[in-house]
Amino acid sequence: MTSAYDILDRLIAFPSVSRDGNIDLIRYIADALAAAGIASRLFPHENGDRASLFATIGPEGPGGIVLSGHTDVVPVDGQAWTVDPFRMSRKGDRFYGRGTTDMKGFIACAMEAAVAATERRLTRPLHLAFSYDEEIGCVGVRPMLDELATAGIDPEWVLIGEPTAMQVATGHKGKTGVKAYCTGHSAHSALAPTGLNAIYMATELLAEVRAIQADIEDSGPRDDDYTVPYTTLHAGVIQGGTALNIVPDACRLDFEIRNLAGDDPMAYMARLFDKAERITAEGRKRFPETGIRLDIFNTYPGLNVDPHGKATETVKSLSGGQQFKVSFGTEGGLFEQAFGAPSIVCGPGDMEQGHKPDEFIELSQMEACRKMLGKILDRLS
């Protein structure tokens, strides 16, 4: 049987950066599973350059476990790598390459476990769910989950194999990404009051973003399991203007909300929509074409699993890890919405290594993951 390390070597060789697609990698996975007698179903994107994959080993029907991973990786552009990022290399007990930690190491272990499962008499199913475009906002998994939600898949729990150093993560914040398009009225800067400055409109809206953040810090819900124990609003991009002597008629402000799982981001968006409407109404007293449009371009739910629930205790016993919450987002909340089953985040590698040059995963982490998945097969047999 092909080892997880040989599989990882093959996976790293596919430069499955989100912007470029993953179809060659996903076809390799499908072919490797088929060689072991495992049928899989692909959920392709309409442009054909990327797809998600779902496979089941063992009996059809309810129960069992889903092993979930994303196949896309972040770019290496501008990073100072000392090794080829798309050729796995080993130095001592470290395996280097883009995606070794985030999260092809887990996928390699999951594929190895799936092949091993074909030699067992499983009494409950083992499912594999491998997605695309997770890195750009948990995008690619959604069409697959939409179809599977009505296909009779009813797992006991879902294992999201994101890198947690094999610790057991039971929660993370949700995210809402927003673009604010501000349209003003141009004028010569010597006559600035005769125009409507779109940058000023954006900064008025930004002031409301900051006011909401201040209110949250003062009296909003808290969860001290996080480094930042409350919902955050953050502006990351502002673009407007062409020259100093022109009153700008266009400006774009990009901001996000990272919310505690029990804190509704739409309540904050309601305040921002109201503020945008008030700025728009004031501007249109003079210039009918002006205003602010808010576009929510991406959102995914937070995760907050029962810390004392059966799934949590099971994964802690299987991995030997301690319980905590992670700062980064995952597909876990989307799996919970689709299947109604708890999602636990636990996988090999440390996110401290993810997204960086010379990304690596430790041998000990791979071995710990292989051991945990072996115990899962024992439980399903």
Side-chain angles (χ1 to χ4, degrees):
M1 182 175 67
T2 305
S3 76
Y5 300 101
D6 292 330
I7 297 171
L8 180 58
D9 181 70
R10 291 294 306 277
L11 294 176
I12 297 303
F14 292 101
S16 54
V17 177
S18 304
R19 68 184 178 212
D20 300 323
N22 73 334
I23 196 64
D24 291 335
L25 179 148
I26 214 72
R27 285 173 176 160
Y28 158 72
I29 293 176
D31 290 345
L33 295 175
I38 302 170
S40 58
R41 180 181 175 188
L42 300 188
F43 298 81
H45 186 274
E46 60 185 12
N47 65 14
D49 68 349
R50 61 200 70 204
S52 295
L53 176 148
F54 191 82
T56 298
I57 304 93
E60 299 287 342
I65 295 166
V66 177
L67 305 181
S68 164
H70 66 80
T71 61
D72 60 316
V73 297
V74 297
V76 299
D77 309 52
Q79 294 187 338
W81 285 73
T82 63
V83 297
D84 185 341
F86 298 113
R87 181 179 179 182
M88 193 179 78
S89 55
R90 180 175 181 175
K91 296 181 181 179
D93 287 339
R94 291 178 176 179
F95 299 90
Y96 290 83
R98 171 57 86 223
T100 45
T101 280
D102 188 18
M103 56 180 300
K104 293 179 178 180
F106 174 78
I107 291 175
C109 293
M111 289 176 63
E112 180 187 55
V115 174
T118 63
E119 301 174 1
R120 300 284 196 99
R121 186 183 295 275
L122 299 188
T123 59
R124 290 170 291 164
L126 175 70
H127 305 286
L128 302 180
F130 299 149
S131 68
Y132 64 89
D133 286 0
E134 186 272 350
E135 294 288 4
I136 60 173
C138 300
V139 174
V141 74
R142 298 172 195 250
M144 176 172 65
L145 291 180
D146 287 344
E147 291 198 41
L148 292 176
T150 58
I153 308 298
D154 186 21
E156 298 167 38
W157 49 276
V158 179
L159 180 65
I160 309 291
E162 290 276 9
T164 63
M166 297 303 295
Q167 303 306 303
V168 180
T170 58
H172 63 71
K173 294 179 180 179
K175 179 180 175 180
T176 301
V178 187
K179 295 181 186 294
Y181 296 94
C182 304
T183 302
H185 187 87
S186 186
H188 193 292
S189 65
L191 303 171
T194 67
L196 180 59
N197 193 314
I199 292 177
Y200 289 179
M201 298 169 72
T203 55
E204 281 190 67
L205 184 67
L206 182 57
E208 185 70 7
V209 169
R210 298 187 68 184
I212 293 171
Q213 180 69 90
D215 290 345
I216 292 171
E217 291 183 39
D218 180 58
S219 59
R222 301 180 73 86
D223 185 338
D224 290 326
D225 287 340
Y226 290 102
T227 302
V228 179
Y230 46 78
T231 294
T232 59
L233 286 78
H234 158 76
V237 177
I238 187 167
Q239 295 178 335
T242 57
L244 183 58
N245 61 354
I246 300 174
V247 174
D249 63 359
C251 185
R252 194 189 89 204
L253 173 68
D254 295 359
F255 64 92
E256 68 173 22
I257 303 172
R258 289 189 180 259
N259 61 286
L260 299 178
D263 197 8
D264 182 8
M266 291 302 105
Y268 304 123
M269 285 303 305
R271 280 184 59 174
L272 291 165
F273 277 116
D274 179 68
K275 181 66 174 181
E277 288 174 3
R278 285 186 278 122
I279 296 170
T280 295
E282 185 65 27
R284 287 182 177 173
K285 291 178 181 178
R286 298 169 59 205
F287 307 108
E289 78 278 13
T290 63
I292 296 179
R293 186 181 85 246
L294 298 181
D295 285 352
I296 298 174
F297 65 90
N298 182 256
T299 182
Y300 60 77
L303 181 69
N304 194 28
V305 179
D306 182 354
H308 306 295
K310 181 179 178 181
T312 303
E313 294 301 327
T314 297
V315 180
K316 287 169 65 175
S317 68
L318 292 171
S319 69
Q322 298 299 309
Q323 183 178 309
F324 76 126
K325 292 182 179 179
V326 292
S327 298
F328 56 85
T330 78
E331 297 168 336
L334 294 170
F335 274 91
E336 286 202 340
Q337 289 180 352
F339 297 139
S343 293
I344 309 295
V345 185
C346 180
D350 191 329
M351 192 57 89
E352 178 64 23
Q353 310 305 328
H355 298 202
K356 293 184 177 180
D358 290 351
E359 179 181 347
F360 67 84
I361 193 168
E362 298 273 3
L363 173 68
S364 60
Q365 287 290 300
M366 290 287 288
E367 288 301 302
C369 184
R370 296 173 83 191
K371 183 177 180 180
M372 177 182 68
L373 295 181
K375 291 179 180 178
I376 287 176
L377 294 187
D378 290 342
R379 284 175 171 258
L380 296 177
S381 298

